[in-house]
Amino acid sequence: MKSAAKLTLTALGCLAGSVLGHGQVQNFTINGAYNQGFILDYYYDKVNTGKFPNVAGWYAEDLDLGFIAPDAYTTPDIICHKNSAPGAITATIPAGGTVVFYWGPNPWPHPYGPIITYLAQCSGSCTNVDKTSLRWVKIQESGINYSTQVWANQVLINQGNKWSVTIPSSLKAGNYVIRHEILAAHGAGSADGMQNYPQCINLAITGSGTKSLPAGTAATALYKPTDPGILFNPYTTITNYTIPGPALWQG
Ligand SMILES: *[C@@H]1O[C@H](CO)[C@@H](O)[C@H](O)[C@H]1NC(C)=O
Ligand SMILES: *[C@@H]1O[C@H](CO)[C@@H](O)[C@H](O)[C@H]1NC(C)=O
Ligand SMILES: *[C@@H]1O[C@H](CO)[C@@H](O)[C@H](O)[C@H]1NC(C)=O
């Protein structure tokens, strides 16, 4: 019964991916400590009561738990999802620490596509940052394993819908936004078929690191609809996948 229901959801999810969405980072851990993320209930709390709990996860109006499509790559929605706004508080993490992102509420239904994570520094607090001023530096990327043909999305599913990212230990202390993103590639063979699911969280990074982020990229310039890693046929043996976005920085 349970697995039949799961299968139905998965099948529906794949067929009706443009209608049904699949997730948000509902919570995250920092070196194992639990933090609540932004969840859809908070959107309705805001509409109904004018307020919602203070969390470090950014507010967004991805009401269908859906995605940003390539035709919106030059709009502010690609920054931290639809009509996003900074989280009211900031989570603290030492440089070298690990954030684990928990995606929910559904089991992630898409086995194809890369997973990428970025950081951008805020000049003051990130809780009131102008999101268009953020310049993003890629700190994690995972595409496909050529020998097994297993994509990062499948690894996420195998891990129980979670993904772990380590903050470079050399990074200078300061206020940063982390932008963690799943790209679901099951439709990437058609123009405008990639699905981007960006999620942002405010982080105060501590420690004695000395390195500043290199010059970053505005979110609206991260991807083009025709990038080789955005528009490609996923239903073939992949031997040269180009992970989208700027170069990886590892500190
Ligand atoms: C964290 O989010 C995941 C994914 O939605 C969920 O399965 C889990 O129950 C949540 N943890 C807590 C403690 O709420
Ligand atoms: C690909 O998967 C194989 C088998 O699990 C593993 O041995 C190998 O290290 C992986 N390659 C990469 C680049 O992760
Ligand atoms: C693979 O390489 C070919 C030839 O260089 C190129 O046209 C294609 O875009 C590449 N595919 C990916 C997914 O990077």
Side-chain angles (χ1 to χ4, degrees):
M1 187 66 196
K2 198 178 171 203
S3 61
K6 260 190 178 167
L7 272 178
T8 307
L9 258 181
T10 304
L12 266 177
C14 290
L15 293 173
S18 60
V19 180
L20 296 181
H22 305 300
Q24 289 180 317
V25 171
Q26 300 203 314
N27 55 67
F28 57 99
T29 61
I30 289 184
N31 289 342
Y34 177 84
N35 289 262
Q36 179 63 49
F38 182 83
I39 55 175
L40 216 44
D41 291 356
Y42 297 167
Y43 168 78
Y44 295 102
D45 287 350
K46 184 186 173 217
V47 169
N48 295 325
T49 69
K51 53 186 188 190
F52 62 90
N54 289 338
V55 290
W58 278 44
Y59 170 92
E61 296 180 358
D62 42 329
L63 303 184
D64 57 357
L65 295 172
F67 53 87
I68 305 299
D71 67 359
Y73 282 173
T74 55
T75 74
D77 286 346
I78 192 64
I79 303 173
C80 295
H81 223 308
K82 290 181 183 157
N83 295 328
S84 65
I89 60 173
T90 300
T92 300
I93 182 169
T98 298
V99 188
V100 180
F101 301 92
Y102 288 81
W103 286 85
N106 300 323
W108 190 258
H110 301 307
Y112 302 97
I115 296 180
I116 307 177
T117 307
Y118 300 85
L119 280 176
Q121 187 162 17
C122 302
S123 49
S125 170
C126 294
T127 60
N128 54 11
V129 73
D130 168 4
K131 63 186 177 182
T132 64
S133 73
L134 294 170
R135 295 293 176 267
W136 301 94
V137 173
K138 190 191 270 177
I139 60 159
Q140 174 273 320
E141 64 180 10
S142 180
I144 188 170
N145 181 317
Y146 296 135
S147 55
T148 60
Q149 294 290 298
V150 171
W151 284 99
N153 272 241
Q154 182 65 55
V155 173
L156 174 109
I157 295 167
N158 296 349
Q159 291 174 168
N161 280 16
K162 65 180 183 185
W163 193 265
S164 180
V165 175
T166 299
I167 304 296
S169 54
S170 61
L171 185 62
K172 210 171 180 172
N175 292 318
Y176 296 83
V177 181
I178 192 164
R179 179 180 181 282
H180 174 59
E181 182 176 36
I182 293 180
L183 286 80
H186 53 286
S190 310
D192 210 34
M194 183 61 98
Q195 301 185 349
N196 295 57
Y197 297 80
Q199 300 280 295
C200 293
I201 296 170
N202 295 332
L203 292 181
I205 296 175
T206 60
S208 50
T210 54
K211 290 198 179 162
S212 299
L213 290 178
T217 306
T220 49
L222 287 175
Y223 312 124
K224 291 194 183 64
T226 53
D227 284 347
I230 296 291
L231 179 60
F232 68 97
N233 175 16
Y235 302 107
T236 183
T237 302
I238 306 275
T239 56
N240 71 331
Y241 183 68
T242 308
I243 297 175
L248 181 67
W249 182 77
Q250 292 174 297

